[in-house]
Amino acid sequence: MKNFWLTFFEGLVEVKMKGIGAERFINRLCKEGVAVFQFKKLDKEISTYQIRLSNIRSLRKIARGQAFKFSFTRRKGMPFFLNKLMKNKGLVIGIPFFIAIVFVLSNIVWSIKIDGASIETEQKIRKQLKLMDVRIGKFSFNEGDPKAIQKRLTDEIPNITWIGVQSRGAVYHLRVVEKLIPKKEIDKSYPMLVSTKKAYIVQTMIETGQILVVKKQLVEKGQPLVDGYIGSGENPKYVGAKGIVLGETWYQTTSEVPLKTTFQKLTGNTKTKHQLKLFNITIPIWGFGHSKFKEKTIERVQTDFHFWKWKIPLSIVKVQYNEAVTTIRILTQEEGMELAKENAYKDLLLSIPPDAKVLKRNLLQKKISSDKVMVMMHYEVIEDIAAGSGDEDEYPISDSDEIE
Amino acid sequence: MSKKNNWLKRAKQVFASSFDLPQDVVLDLPRITMIGQIHIYIENHKGILTFSNEELRLALKQGYLLIKGVNFVLKTILPEEILLEGTIHQVTFVEEDKN
């Protein structure tokens, strides 16, 4: 049997008919191709049935000259529903307007939360975000890619190790891990200062405590340098060890440089495409055709749209093709050596404290083969080798005073 | 019914059975589908004779079909098919010459 749910869209009219011989009239309707639904006999004379809205004309034609009385008692279906709706214009305009407003508001940055950063860093981050045009009240899909924000923030702000950017609808949530810059231990006193590494003592600058080493002495790692107690015997006085011990230490770094390197260089020519992505279908909206670049790198930035707090399966994808040129860099052995030394020095600077001084650098070993240069460098560095040992709180000065 | 008609009918029957065709197509018979007591669906009818809450008479090629029950509503009426809803108590084929 055919389905008649489509009649809902066409519209149905209920007819109430008064007169004898309704069956014959229905048969006539059928012959004319008018489908009749819900035919009911209320009593001998009165019957009701429904016909399609578009069939009213045929009904009128057939009814002409017949002794029936007609009345239309009900109207249902889409056309009538729409008619009713049009009477409530406010609703018709209001609902899409409301949806549009929610959609717009859902894609605006409402707040930026920053966790784990000190006040200064937070201010720096907020300043940087402002420069990047990420601020409250802006559309998040302009500069909204969290990954891009993440990258730029880590690049621009020096004292953060890691930053996680999450956009949850209208809220940006930034979690920050700051680089731990150790506090200057010089202001703190310890029960004992010990050596952090094997070194020659160069200079001692001690504020309090008893020095246990002399200049030019070779100390091993962990060897005590300054004692927090002064006076020997059974009742030493605790004053706390505090100060700097400069020692000469040694570092070795190895660095290898290939003489022939291939790498991709971007020429600066780009082609950008914008696509609308709905579920898994991508529709290009700007930038057509294929890029003619022989070699290229592809950058893809996807911005999602939100409705309320949900991500809707609609997003804008920006695809950027960057033309690249593969270049081969060939170094002579001398250039290779220079570069390797430079790299080794850079490596060293990363591993020593920032206030350390590099005294001397020596080439320990070099290996030159047909395709690479390897150097092993030896550095003499002067740095503070003293480190506190034992917890200060365990030996509070006032307590030791009482002991005395 | 004339002798000639009878002969034609028999010929059609033989034709239908030998070629394995559905009988209703060849013989112009109604095809009736019932769903329990609540629905009856008749194809290939020849128009409504009478209809009321308790009774429906449907013209067929020969005679008519009498359906009795309660709360009858004709859900759909199309030129060749009809769907009746209600509680059906009996379906009877009535030969015309008897009436």
Side-chain angles (χ1 to χ4, degrees), chain A residues 112 114-115 117-127:
Chain A
I112 299 167
I114 299 174
D115 277 352
S118 64
I119 301 167
E120 295 155 46
T121 320
E122 194 177 321
Q123 272 176 343
K124 272 186 201 166
I125 292 171
R126 289 201 187 272
K127 217 170 159 189

Side-chain angles (χ1 to χ4, degrees), chain A residues 1-2 4 23-24 26-27 30-31 33-42 52, chain B residues 41 45-53 72-79 81 83:
Chain A
M1 201 197 137
K2 288 166 204 161
F4 287 102
E23 293 87 347
R24 254 180 297 135
I26 298 295
N27 285 339
C30 274
K31 255 178 214 159
V34 177
V36 181
F37 308 97
Q38 306 287 353
F39 181 42
K40 269 182 240 175
K41 268 268 177 93
L42 300 183
R52 287 190 187 124
Chain B
Y41 176 63
H45 69 94
K46 299 285 181 236
I48 306 161
L49 295 174
T50 58
F51 172 69
S52 72
N53 265 338
F72 278 3
V73 176
L74 277 169
K75 287 278 274 190
T76 21
I77 307 161
L78 296 167
E81 52 201 80
L83 176 65

Side-chain angles (χ1 to χ4, degrees), chain A residues 165-349:
Chain A
V165 181
Q166 246 183 340
S167 89
R168 283 197 212 128
V171 179
Y172 274 108
H173 195 195
L174 281 76
R175 277 176 302 149
V176 183
V177 177
E178 274 189 83
K179 267 181 202 160
L180 276 177
I181 295 166
K183 282 174 203 159
K184 275 227 155 174
E185 282 152 13
I186 198 161
D187 296 333
K188 224 174 153 188
S189 48
Y190 292 91
M192 188 169 278
L193 293 181
V194 294
S195 171
T196 53
K197 51 191 78 176
K198 192 177 178 184
Y200 270 122
I201 304 298
V202 173
Q203 204 182 354
T204 49
M205 292 176 275
I206 304 303
E207 249 176 84
T208 54
Q210 191 178 344
I211 305 170
L212 304 172
V213 289
V214 289
K215 254 192 197 178
K216 290 189 180 171
Q217 186 185 335
L218 178 71
V219 292
E220 296 291 331
K221 187 180 175 184
Q223 190 174 333
L225 301 174
V226 182
D227 196 353
Y229 293 88
I230 44 175
S232 52
E234 287 193 1
N235 284 322
K237 192 185 177 197
Y238 182 75
V239 289
K242 191 170 165 188
I244 295 173
V245 179
L246 293 182
E248 186 188 311
T249 58
W250 310 278
Y251 286 87
Q252 258 182 32
T253 47
T254 354
S255 159
E256 213 178 73
V257 169
L259 292 178
K260 189 178 162 189
T261 341
T262 47
F263 56 95
Q264 280 196 324
K265 217 161 99 183
L266 302 182
T267 59
N269 293 330
T270 58
K271 182 178 172 66
T272 313
K273 282 185 190 179
H274 293 269
Q275 296 166 337
L276 202 65
K277 193 173 164 195
L278 185 66
F279 293 103
N280 274 329
I281 311 154
T282 46
I283 308 146
I285 44 174
W286 193 255
F288 298 97
H290 294 285
S291 58
K292 286 163 193 157
F293 307 139
K294 269 183 194 168
E295 290 175 46
K296 64 201 167 201
T297 60
I298 301 169
E299 241 174 86
R300 198 179 291 268
V301 179
Q302 183 171 338
T303 316
D304 297 319
F305 285 100
H306 295 265
F307 189 81
W308 205 246
K309 60 183 180 181
W310 303 284
K311 215 167 95 177
I312 55 173
L314 179 73
S315 45
I316 283 185
V317 185
K318 183 180 153 195
V319 187
Q320 190 170 316
Y321 299 91
N322 303 311
E323 191 185 15
V325 172
T326 306
T327 29
I328 299 168
R329 186 186 66 178
I330 295 171
L331 298 171
T332 61
Q333 287 182 354
E334 288 75 39
E335 285 169 337
M337 281 289 293
E338 277 309 302
L339 192 66
K341 279 182 186 171
E342 225 172 87
N343 288 349
Y345 189 59
K346 276 182 197 159
D347 281 353
L348 171 79
L349 289 183

Side-chain angles (χ1 to χ4, degrees), chain A residues 42-69:
Chain A
L42 300 183
D43 60 42
K44 274 201 172 167
E45 289 200 348
I46 302 165
S47 55
T48 60
Y49 52 90
Q50 296 176 357
I51 58 166
R52 287 190 187 124
L53 184 61
S54 53
N55 283 336
I56 280 208
R57 242 173 223 220
S58 320
L59 178 88
R60 288 229 161 95
K61 220 168 125 192
I62 298 160
R64 216 167 282 153
Q66 301 247 14
F68 292 111
K69 271 189 176 171

